[in-house]
C-alpha cells in the first residue's frame, strides 16, 4: 500500500470520512469493470459498486496494509459480485 493510501485510511479511521472519497474516485472504474462482468444491466453494476464501497468503508479497520489497498478492495468487489449472482441467478 502506498503512503498516500495509508494516510487516507488512517484519516478515515480517525474520524474523517471525507478522506475516503479519493480512494473511491481512484478505484471506482476498476470496481465497476469487475461488477460489469457479473451484472446483466448497467444499473446492477452501479448497485454492486456502491455496495463494494459501503462494505470497504465499514470494514476499513480490517485492512492490514501488508498488501496493496487495491488488492483488498478488489477482493471485496469480487466477493460482492459472487453474493449478487447467488441472490440474483
Amino acid at each position: 500500500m502506498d503512503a498516500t493510501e495509508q494516510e487516507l485510511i488512517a484519516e478515515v479511521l480517525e474520524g474523517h470520512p471525507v478522506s475516503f472519497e479519493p480512494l473511491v474516485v481512484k478505484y471506482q472504474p476498476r470496481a465497476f469493470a469487475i461488477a460489469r462482468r457479473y451484472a446483466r444491466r448497467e444499473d446492477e453494476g452501479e448497485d454492486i459498486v456502491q455496495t463494494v464501497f459501503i462494505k470497504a468503508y465499514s470494514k476499513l479497520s480490517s485492512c492490514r496494509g501488508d498488501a496493496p489497498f487495491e488488492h483488498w478492495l478488489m477482493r471485496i468487489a469480487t466477493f460482492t459480485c459472487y453474493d449478487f449472482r447467488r441472490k440474483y441467478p
Side-chain angles (χ1 to χ4, degrees):
M1 183 178 331
D2 71 30
T4 306
E5 289 177 352
Q6 287 178 339
E7 292 166 2
L8 289 171
I9 291 168
E11 289 175 14
V12 173
L13 294 174
E14 291 172 3
H16 305 283
V18 75
S19 296
F20 192 68
E21 184 177 357
L23 298 170
V24 173
V25 170
K26 182 175 182 179
Y27 293 113
Q28 188 172 19
R30 177 118 190 262
F32 189 70
I34 291 172
R36 285 180 56 184
R37 288 186 242 156
Y38 293 87
R40 290 177 290 271
R41 298 185 323 263
E42 187 170 336
D43 63 324
E44 289 177 341
E46 292 168 357
D47 290 345
I48 291 170
V49 172
Q50 184 175 10
T51 302
V52 167
F53 284 106
I54 290 170
K55 285 181 180 181
Y57 183 83
S58 67
K59 297 178 182 193
L60 197 56
S61 63
S62 72
C63 181
R64 296 188 316 246
D66 53 350
F69 174 75
E70 179 179 16
H71 294 181
W72 179 80
L73 183 64
M74 293 310 121
R75 188 172 176 98
I76 291 174
T78 301
F79 287 128
T80 302
C81 288
Y82 292 163
D83 292 343
F84 174 81
R85 293 307 295 158
R86 277 193 290 274
K87 189 173 180 179
Y88 304 103

